[in-house]
Amino acid sequence: MKYLNKIATVFCAIALATMALTSCEGGDLFSIDSPDWLSSKADSIAEAKKNNQGGEDVIEGMEEDVYTVGATDYSTGWWAQFSKYYQIPEGEKWIAQFNLNINPAATNTYKNYAMIICNDEDRGAANYKEYGAIRYDYQPSGNSEWGDYIDRSLATSDLEFATDTDSGVDKLGGKVTLTVDRTGGGLIVTMTNGTVTKTYTQTSPLVNLNADQSNTTIRCFLVPEGSYINWLGSTIEPIGGFTSAEDKQPLSMTLNGVPKKVLQGATLEEAFANVTATVQFETGVSLDVTAADLTFQAIPDMANLGAKTLVAVYSKTYKGEAAAQPVIGYASFEVVDKMYTILGNADNTTGWWEAHSEKVRVAPKETFVSTFTNYTNGAANWNNFLWVLTNVDGSTEYAVLRADNYGWGAGYDACTPSGGQSDWVAWLAAMDGAKVTSYVTNNGDGTADVKAVMVGTDGVTYEQSYIGIQIDSEDFYTHFTIEGGHLEFDDVLGEEDNSTGWWTAHSPYIYVPAGQTYTRSFVNYTNGSANWNNFLVVLTNQDGTTEYSVLRADNYGWGAGYDACTPSGGQSDWVAWLAAMDGAKVTVSVTNNGRSADVKCVMVGNDGVTYYQDYIGISPIDGEDFYFHFTCEGSHLVFE
């Protein structure tokens, strides 16, 4: 880049020569009497600057600031990655330059970047406040500018979009010069790449949002969405300093998406295939890398059950060369045994939307890993497992994804499916008994990735993935359903150290048709502190909005349905019973009588004694909408 200091000698030479000439016989600057070579030189410089001859614009005070914001595969979601903070005091101007990379496949006008203007605080700080945002695209009827202190009528552009699906977002790409000017007392923002220029002109002074009213400085930072920014330079030094274009050594690393539990027998590569890491380099830049860039080791091993430490090593520079000193990241996980729970009817007669597993929250940057065996009646491709992605209460359904490269929902519409087996007939036959590993990843940037690795009964490994599903990262849950099949899950309900808190762990809902009895078996473990530190049976409708009753293992419960029932059991020796429940083998039978329900519990204690607990005549219930599931407190359950 041509910076001012690189041509300073030219201007100094001209100035000195001019001053010398003006001292001779009353000559004036650039007067008609000036030497031809001086006039010619001045004219050539002015013309070169006007036409940008010979390369880039020369901007006074521009310093090199070279780093990347956003994933280079265009996967960055909204509010996921941020540039540095650039502080603009009152009465000053900030100019930045960067290359804006637009996804060639982008179909939305907002897939570019927005500049956020805030007070002089870090995001997340107690006193952080925003003036608003100005995005590069311009859509008067849309949301290309927003904020309590941004007047949208003050924005103009020579490229206007009527809707956010208009063509032309590609015109926003290339080298962008961004100017934030506070020299006139107001706020003037200019964004231009030479093809598209957007301006925001506010002549009135900005309201001071700083807690310290003597501080009139504002901050600006950039947020890409579906694009990425290669920063080039800035006239103001950002918080954290400028970034040199020279290669950088790694300094530290944070692991993301490490599963909390891994099934015994899984290899390092299988268990941590979806792990990523955020690597911090010199000069304050960071980079997200995938598992392929990392070397893993489990301490002490992967073979035995119990708590483990994952050690990951990254050994590259920012530019991908061999690092002088590798960096190491750590995370905890647990190797657990295989324990099964069934979703759906074992004879593969499960109807559509009839059986659902429990909702599991997947936190930002976390991957939920589950393993199960898939069984199908083989009638059609969709007679297999499905993922359902929703918010916490299910009122927002981001996507429903099938095992066979198909799905629906707004989040699905924005994603990229891949898989699509070459031989669907062979795949369908192989799915009856296929061993499936499911990965659901919350990328933390407003998108989720879902992948299944299916080892069929034919020994062939099939894969299906959905990349870039749009979600709310802070309110993201997943669960399974199935039609014309059933699933056997590897599962434990509750914390295995019996520290499970109240109402923190729930098993999948099980539908019981009218006139039928469903039976579930499991091993109950307890901390032994109190009678209620054992399993509970919860009777509800399908979505849990109607709770018929909650029934404990120890002759107690609540709810309208419980109030009408007849409990029986009430052990003669509660102390002996509680001690025997740690490791007790339990069978719970739930009967739907149409208008009432019966629940019977048979508990074979670790003392060899069989204990009983019944709840007969629970009513009223809706026999057409009757489900049960388990929870526990101060205990955990292992389903058989």
Side-chain angles (χ1 to χ4, degrees):
M1 177 175 288
K2 294 181 180 177
Y3 296 117
L4 184 63
N5 58 352
K6 291 187 178 182
I7 62 169
T9 55
V10 175
F11 285 107
C12 288
I14 295 171
L16 289 171
T18 303
M19 290 175 64
L21 287 165
T22 58
S23 66
C24 300
E25 301 181 4
D28 296 321
L29 286 175
F30 302 109
S31 72
I32 195 167
D33 295 324
S34 297
D36 292 341
W37 71 266
L38 181 56
S39 296
S40 176
K41 187 66 175 178
D43 290 344
S44 67
I45 291 173
E47 189 66 19
K49 292 178 70 176
K50 176 182 176 181
N51 298 323
N52 192 26
Q53 292 177 1
E56 304 169 354
D57 294 335
V58 176
I59 297 177
E60 182 177 359
M62 184 69 69
E63 296 287 343
E64 186 178 71
D65 196 19
V66 182
Y67 63 100
T68 298
V69 186
T72 56
D73 63 356
Y74 305 104
S75 63
T76 301
W78 172 248
W79 211 252
Q81 293 202 31
F82 311 92
S83 73
K84 302 174 187 177
Y85 291 110
Y86 296 84
Q87 297 169 296
I88 304 98
E90 186 176 19
E92 294 193 17
K93 179 192 295 185
W94 171 52
I95 304 176
Q97 290 188 323
F98 51 85
N99 285 323
L100 174 62
N101 300 275
I102 301 293
N103 188 346
T107 57
N108 300 104
T109 62
Y110 52 80
K111 297 295 187 180
N112 53 91
Y113 78 92
M115 182 182 70
I116 313 300
I117 306 170
C118 65
N119 64 348
D120 199 15
E121 296 283 351
D122 289 346
R123 289 180 304 275
N127 293 322
Y128 173 79
K129 295 180 180 179
E130 288 180 5
Y131 291 91
I134 302 173
R135 212 169 55 206
Y136 192 15
D137 62 295
Y138 178 65
Q139 184 190 149
S141 62
N143 63 340
S144 51
E145 309 83 29
W146 64 89
D148 293 339
Y149 300 90
I150 296 295
D151 184 349
R152 300 192 64 216
S153 68
L154 303 179
T156 60
S157 176
D158 49 20
L159 176 63
E160 183 175 316
F161 296 101
T163 72
D164 62 12
T165 57
D166 285 2
S167 61
V169 66
D170 57 302
K171 296 179 181 179
L172 304 177
K175 181 183 174 181
V176 176
T177 299
L178 168 66
T179 303
V180 178
D181 190 349
R182 300 187 69 195
T183 58
L187 175 68
I188 300 176
V189 176
T190 305
M191 306 172 176
T192 183
N193 63 0
T195 301
V196 177
T197 299
K198 180 174 181 176
T199 59
Y200 177 85
T201 306
Q202 177 180 323
T203 57
S204 59
L206 289 175
V207 176
N208 190 349
L209 299 182
N210 291 314
D212 177 5
Q213 287 292 293
S214 66
N215 178 15
T216 58
T217 297
I218 64 171
R219 294 187 188 186
C220 293
F221 60 92
L222 270 54
V223 183
E225 180 179 8
S227 63
Y228 67 94
I229 295 168
N230 292 127
W231 209 276
L232 298 173
S234 169
T235 59
I236 289 179
E237 184 171 2
I239 294 176
F242 291 116
T243 300
S244 169
E246 296 178 355
D247 203 0
K248 305 163 206 25
Q249 296 293 326
L251 300 178
S252 63
M253 177 171 65
T254 302
L255 298 180
N256 308 310
V258 177
K260 296 176 181 178
K261 294 187 178 183
V262 172
L263 290 172
Q264 188 177 34
T267 65
L268 284 166
E269 292 75 15
E270 293 169 341
F272 306 115
N274 277 22
V275 170
T276 64
T278 302
V279 183
Q280 297 291 334
F281 295 86
E282 296 172 318
T283 68
V285 298
S286 63
L287 184 69
D288 288 336
V289 301
T290 66
D293 298 307
L294 304 172
T295 302
F296 294 113
Q297 184 176 359
I299 304 297
D301 57 53
M302 285 283 287
N304 299 303
L305 301 177
K308 312 290 181 181
T309 298
L310 177 66
V311 180
V313 179
Y314 181 77
S315 57
K316 296 180 182 178
T317 65
Y318 186 73
K319 293 186 176 181
E321 304 298 330
Q325 182 68 44
V327 290
I328 301 175
Y330 302 91
S332 298
F333 70 98
E334 186 177 2
V335 174
V336 298
D337 201 355
K338 291 185 176 181
M339 294 156 286
Y340 297 103
T341 185
I342 296 177
L343 178 66
N345 301 330
D347 61 358
N348 296 327
T349 59
T350 312
W352 170 246
W353 219 246
E354 190 176 271
H356 293 264
S357 68
E358 66 173 319
K359 293 189 186 77
V360 177
R361 180 174 186 262
V362 185
K365 295 291 188 179
E366 181 180 16
T367 296
F368 174 66
V369 181
S370 54
T371 304
F372 54 88
T373 303
N374 180 93
Y375 294 94
T376 174
N377 60 20
N381 287 354
W382 55 81
N383 294 134
N384 290 285
F385 68 90
L386 302 94
W387 295 275
V388 184
L389 310 183
T390 69
N391 65 344
V392 62
D393 61 7
S395 59
T396 299
E397 188 176 274
Y398 304 120
V400 178
L401 311 169
R402 294 196 327 208
D404 66 333
N405 202 43
Y406 184 76
W408 55 87
Y412 169 82
D413 293 340
C415 84
T416 303
S418 65
Q421 314 307 327
S422 58
D423 189 337
W424 285 112
V425 174
W427 173 83
L428 181 57
M431 287 300 290
D432 189 31
K435 302 294 184 181
V436 181
T437 301
S438 164
Y439 302 89
V440 179
T441 300
N442 181 342
N443 295 317
D445 61 1
T447 67
D449 298 336
V450 173
K451 181 177 73 172
V453 179
M454 303 162 279
V455 181
T457 54
D458 57 359
V460 176
T461 298
Y462 303 88
E463 291 193 10
Q464 177 61 50
S465 63
Y466 301 89
I467 306 301
I469 305 156
Q470 290 187 346
I471 63 166
D472 179 350
S473 292
E474 297 302 323
D475 189 10
F476 178 51
Y477 289 72
T478 182
H479 69 276
F480 290 96
T481 187
I482 191 168
E483 178 184 15
H486 75 279
L487 309 179
E488 288 184 351
F489 284 92
D490 303 330
D491 203 10
V492 175
L493 181 64
E495 301 296 330
E496 293 189 53
D497 60 359
N498 295 325
S499 63
T500 312
W502 171 247
W503 219 248
T504 60
H506 294 267
S507 74
Y509 283 40
I510 299 173
Y511 172 63
V512 183
Q516 295 192 30
T517 297
Y518 273 44
T519 300
R520 296 300 309 276
S521 299
F522 55 88
V523 179
N524 180 95
Y525 296 92
T526 174
N527 61 20
S529 297
N531 286 356
W532 55 80
N533 293 135
N534 289 286
F535 71 89
L536 301 93
V537 185
V538 184
L539 309 181
T540 72
N541 64 344
Q542 182 179 14
D543 60 11
T545 56
T546 300
E547 189 174 87
Y548 303 122
S549 61
V550 180
L551 311 170
R552 291 194 334 207
D554 64 334
N555 203 38
Y556 185 74
W558 56 88
Y562 172 80
D563 294 341
C565 83
T566 302
S568 63
Q571 313 307 328
S572 58
D573 187 341
W574 283 113
V575 174
W577 172 85
L578 181 56
M581 287 299 290
D582 189 32
K585 297 184 180 299
V586 181
T587 299
V588 175
S589 298
V590 179
T591 300
N592 181 349
N593 298 314
R595 296 185 178 180
S596 68
D598 301 332
V599 175
K600 298 182 178 181
C601 309
V602 179
M603 301 161 279
V604 180
N606 58 31
D607 57 359
V609 176
T610 300
Y611 301 87
Y612 299 92
Q613 180 60 53
D614 298 340
Y615 299 93
I616 306 301
I618 301 161
S619 65
I621 67 165
D622 182 350
E624 299 303 315
D625 191 10
F626 180 68
Y627 292 75
F628 77 96
H629 70 278
F630 295 95
T631 186
C632 57
E633 180 183 10
S635 58
H636 76 280
L637 313 181
V638 177
F639 289 93
E640 298 180 344

